[in-house]
């Protein structure tokens, strides 16, 4: 026999139900769910302890131990002759080779990316002749080792003793001897530029293709011209993909210029070789060249970092992440809260 409602205990009353679905309780009668905070008076004041990760501590300790061993070997090994390194680090012969290396790197990057951009645009065009020629250029110069290309251009006089300008299969208007035209430095510029252009073409092409097609359709619907679309829409978005790879190519070109020493071009490495061929101090002079390469590469890496930040504006809703200097300043403020807030935050 059913129990009358007036004799049921207060806690045993059934929850209110939905009028349309009597078998289902209303949402107001349901519990708050697993996401609702549960307050326990016994544990409310206890601090939150992060999870312990002993593996990270072990890995950090092993890494610091290995770093200490390497640093100890560099400092205490007398074979490096650090006093000789400091003696030759800023000599005239070394700095002259360094300036030639920097000049050669800058010229090759500018010419290589200029030619690579034209090749990329030709590859993306609807003209089958331009597309085929661009693809063939990239295929040949990416498939051939750089050293082979430099040696080929250095010995181009054996294949073409004279170079002339004129009508094909007809008379020539201007003729010059190849030996008088191509010296070691010009040969290095030509070889490095053509090699760089082949890779730059693929970098630029991939950056252009990374732009969403909907952006171009939206620009076309607004009636924008092709040049304005390229300058204001395509290039800023494509640079987000181009800059990181271009930065790696710049650093690779800086180090790759050392290969022109086989052509007797007096770059940084060749200048160091000239010195240790006279003094027989091979290791110290190689360390001089290494330190200069590391220093210049570090400066270029910093520039690449801030250039990437410049073109990454507006890419995320959360904004740009803080720079290393800002992170260091925030860490100092956490360690010394009383000194924080004074002065302008570093960029």
């Amino acid at each position: 026999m059913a129990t009358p409602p007036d004799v049921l205990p207060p806690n045993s009353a059934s929850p209110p139900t939905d009028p349309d679905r009597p078998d289902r309780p209303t949402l107001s009668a349901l519990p708050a769910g697993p996401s609702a905070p549960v307050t326990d008076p016994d544990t409310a004041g206890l601090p939150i302890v992060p999870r312990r990760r002993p593996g990270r501590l072990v890995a950090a300790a092993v890494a610091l131990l290995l770093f200490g061993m390497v640093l100890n070997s560099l400092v205490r090994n007398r074979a490096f002759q650090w006093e000789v390194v400091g003696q030759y680090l800023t000599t005239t012969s070394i700095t002259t080779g360094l300036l030639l290396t920097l000049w050669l790197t800058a010229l090759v990057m500018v010419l290589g990316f200029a030619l690579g951009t034209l090749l990329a645009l030709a590859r993306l065009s609807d003209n089958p002749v331009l597309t085929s020629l661009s693809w063939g250029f990239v295929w040949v110069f990416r498939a051939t080792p750089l050293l082979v290309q430099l040696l080929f251009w250095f010995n181009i006089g054996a294949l073409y003793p004279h170079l002339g300008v004129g009508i094909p299969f007809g008379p020539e208007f201007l003729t010059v001897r190849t030996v008088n035209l191509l010296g070691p430095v010009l040969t290095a510029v030509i070889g490095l530029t053509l090699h760089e252009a082949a890779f730059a073409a693929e970098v630029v092409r991939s950056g252009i293709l990374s732009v969403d097609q909907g952006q171009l359709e939206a620009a076309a619907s607004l009636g924008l011209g092709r040049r304005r679309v390229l300058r204001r829409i395509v290039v800023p978005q494509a640079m987000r993909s181009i800059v990181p790879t271009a930065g790696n190519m710049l650093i690779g070109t800086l180090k790759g210029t050392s290969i022109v020493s086989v052509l007797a071009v007096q770059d940084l490495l060749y200048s160091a070789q000239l010195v240790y061929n006279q003094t027989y101090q091979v290791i110290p002079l190689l360390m001089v060249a290494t330190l200069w390469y590391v220093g210049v590469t570090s400066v270029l890496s910093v520039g690449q970092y801030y250039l990437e930040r410049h073109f990454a504006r507006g890419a995320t809703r959360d904004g740009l992440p803080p720079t290393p200097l800002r992170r260091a300043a925030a860490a100092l403020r956490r360690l010394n809260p009383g000194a924080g807030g004074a002065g302008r935050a570093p960029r």
Side-chain angles (χ1 to χ4, degrees):
M1 186 171 92
T3 305
D6 54 341
V7 298
L8 289 174
N11 294 334
S12 63
S14 60
T17 58
D18 191 345
D20 299 331
R21 296 289 302 273
D23 57 336
R24 178 178 298 178
T26 59
L27 294 178
S28 60
L30 294 177
S35 60
V38 178
T39 305
D40 189 349
D42 297 332
T43 60
L46 297 179
I48 300 176
V49 180
R51 180 182 178 184
R52 296 182 180 180
R53 302 180 183 273
R56 294 183 179 181
L57 298 178
V58 173
V62 172
L64 289 176
L65 178 61
L66 295 177
F67 176 75
M69 295 173 61
V70 173
L71 185 63
N72 178 68
S73 66
L74 291 175
V75 174
R76 303 187 63 180
N77 192 346
R78 297 183 178 275
F80 285 106
Q81 303 182 35
W82 293 109
E83 64 279 359
V84 180
V85 173
Q87 177 184 353
Y88 285 100
L89 190 62
T90 56
T91 55
T92 304
S93 59
I94 297 297
T95 54
T96 302
L98 175 64
L99 292 178
L100 180 59
T101 296
L102 297 177
W103 171 82
L104 189 61
T105 302
L107 182 62
V108 167
M109 284 296 297
V110 172
L111 296 179
F113 264 87
L115 180 57
T117 302
L118 295 179
L119 291 171
L121 296 178
R123 182 80 178 273
L124 295 173
S125 68
D126 297 330
N127 192 324
V129 176
L130 295 180
T131 302
S132 301
L133 292 178
S134 175
W135 179 86
F137 180 95
V138 173
W139 171 63
V140 169
F141 284 94
R142 285 203 310 173
T144 310
L146 177 58
L147 181 58
V148 174
Q149 296 180 31
L150 291 176
L151 293 177
F152 178 83
W153 289 108
F154 189 71
N155 297 280
I156 193 67
L159 185 61
Y160 297 101
H162 297 83
L163 293 177
V165 178
I167 301 175
F169 306 103
E172 295 181 349
F173 306 117
L174 179 63
T175 303
V176 63
R177 294 186 58 187
T178 309
V179 177
N180 299 332
L181 181 64
L182 298 180
V185 177
L186 184 57
T187 300
V189 172
I190 293 175
L192 291 174
T193 298
L194 295 178
H195 181 267
E196 195 78 11
F199 288 90
E202 292 299 290
V203 172
V204 175
R205 186 175 69 90
S206 64
I208 295 176
L209 293 177
S210 67
V211 180
D212 187 27
Q213 189 67 22
Q215 301 281 336
L216 304 180
E217 296 174 356
S221 65
L222 294 175
L224 300 180
R226 298 186 61 181
R227 292 185 179 180
R228 190 173 183 183
V229 171
L230 182 66
R231 180 171 54 91
R232 300 298 299 270
I233 297 177
V234 176
V235 172
Q237 297 185 67
M239 290 298 288
R240 297 172 187 169
S241 301
I242 294 175
V243 169
T245 310
N248 292 334
M249 290 181 60
L250 175 60
I251 294 174
T253 303
L254 173 69
K255 298 184 296 183
T257 54
S258 61
I259 201 172
V260 301
S261 60
V262 300
L263 306 181
V265 177
Q266 196 171 350
D267 67 320
L268 177 59
L269 179 61
Y270 191 75
S271 301
Q273 290 175 338
L274 291 178
V275 175
Y276 73 62
N277 285 335
Q278 299 176 359
T279 62
Y280 300 101
Q281 296 171 327
V282 179
I283 299 300
L285 269 301
L286 289 179
M287 288 302 301
V288 168
T290 301
L291 290 177
W292 275 118
Y293 280 122
V294 171
V296 176
T297 301
S298 302
V299 174
L300 294 178
S301 300
V302 173
Q304 176 187 347
Y305 173 79
Y306 283 98
L307 192 61
E308 290 181 13
R309 284 179 58 88
H310 174 75
F311 286 104
R313 294 177 301 176
T316 58
R317 296 182 178 179
D318 298 334
L320 298 177
T323 62
L325 292 179
R326 289 182 178 274
R327 295 175 183 173
L332 291 177
R333 285 195 297 267
R334 287 194 298 267
L335 293 177
N336 189 9
R344 186 178 178 181
R347 301 181 62 183

